[in-house]
Amino acid sequence: MTSTNSLTADDLGSAAQRDRRKRILDATIALATRGGFDAVQMRAVAEQADVALGTLYRYFPSKIHLLVSALGREFEKAEAAGRGKPIPGDTPHERVMYVLGRTTRGLQGEPHLTEALTRAFMFADASVQNEIHHVGMLMTSMLTRAMQPGKTDLTEEDVAIAKVIGDVWLAALVGWVTGRTTSEDVTRQMDVAVRLLLR
Amino acid sequence: MTSTNSLTADDLGSAAQRDRRKRILDATIALATRGGFDAVQMRAVAEQADVALGTLYRYFPSKIHLLVSALGREFEKAEAAGRGKPIPGDTPHERVMYVLGRTTRGLQGEPHLTEALTRAFMFADASVQNEIHHVGMLMTSMLTRAMQPGKTDLTEEDVAIAKVIGDVWLAALVGWVTGRTTSEDVTRQMDVAVRLLLR
DNA sequence: GGACGAAGTGAAACGTGTTCCTATTATGCC
DNA sequence: GGCATAATAGGAACACGTTTCACTTCGTCC
């Protein structure tokens, strides 16, 4: 039934449309990587993706949709890369911290991109529900996998804990991208939270 | 030394200036209460506060500064109202949940205002550091007081826990103001987090 | 191959945050 | 009181997200 606001990857029939969508998201990532949230200007994205401004808005009804969709794609990419590999660590704490550390380092390697995506995520309103939910699910499943590798049946409690960790991580990330905390602060905050939550 | 970007309450000598500042913040709250983040338009704030647009920008260098400052003032007001009164509840969990519940209900009574202030808070960047820090301190101290009423010496662990709870609360609030979760969800999320963190 | 609707183009226009500039008014000092 | 300086008013101008519209191109069905 595909009742989303922005065109998702699935309901694009034509290959040309899939290609346009990809070009748009590529341009978004490129601009965000170079200059962050402010550099992702709709006219610039349209030009770099070689589509008209109106077309860009047909694919993504707002800058926020665009950026959150880009975040979803990046997250999927990262998740696919890590899938299958076992997560090192002897305890849930160690494994979760490993995953968080790896992801956090990845984000901190591209500070502008991270700033753009994080701020879009935090600014998104109800109209971006689907995209947000998608990202949230990926985040939660990444964390539950680290908590209980191999186990397929997760208790509600496990999921709740993962969500709390995700919340704290997000808040820490926001502090970092907005220049209020350092990357060490982020690691420290996460360590405290994970230690308290997974004991 | 007062090296803030926006004029804080302290370094306004003249009473007329203090009054202008107050009028501006009052107008901000009024507009936000009526129509949320989008309704707080700088021209409208200036008009309602009976100052010129340029003057508004002299007092608050951006819409975000304005809204976060307004949040700080409201938070202080709420904190002052609750100060002195003992917090009901026999355990830290009960007391923290009481404080969170009361504050959350207060916020949910003015959904537009809450939306405006929360989004501004989440969107703020490093230039709003001072105002953000101010609000963060108030939030943390409110929580630590509920955790350890009467105790004056808090361990680092206590503060860390309070910060984590604050993070989760913020994330839950963002979910609510952006229409992704219900108020019951917020309460449930907080209950889980507090139970896990204060055991 | 032609018709028709959907999708894309290109450009103008609008709304709102932000900046800038000049004239006017308030404030403090002599 | 008169003056120097800062603060404010008033309003134009700019930037960028978003909308709109007339026109063209593309895909599909007959």
Side-chain angles (χ1 to χ4, degrees), chain A residues 37 119 121-126 129 132 157 160-161 164 167-168 171-172 174 178-180 189 192-193 195-199, chain B residues 37 119 121-126 129 132 157 160-161 164 167-168 171-172 174 178-180 189 192-193 195-199:
Chain A
F37 187 87
R119 297 184 82 180
F121 190 84
M122 300 312 300
F123 204 66
D125 68 355
Q129 234 173 355
I132 294 274
E157 179 91 347
I161 292 177
V164 172
D167 285 349
V168 179
V174 169
T178 57
R180 299 199 296 268
Q189 273 176 270
V192 170
R195 177 168 54 74
L196 289 166
L197 290 164
L198 294 180
R199 62 187 160 183
Chain B
F37 187 86
R119 296 185 85 181
F121 190 84
M122 299 313 301
F123 205 65
D125 69 354
Q129 234 173 357
I132 294 273
E157 180 91 348
I161 292 178
V164 172
D167 286 349
V168 179
V174 168
T178 58
R180 299 199 296 268
Q189 273 176 270
V192 169
R195 177 168 53 73
L196 289 166
L197 290 165
L198 292 181
R199 63 186 157 182

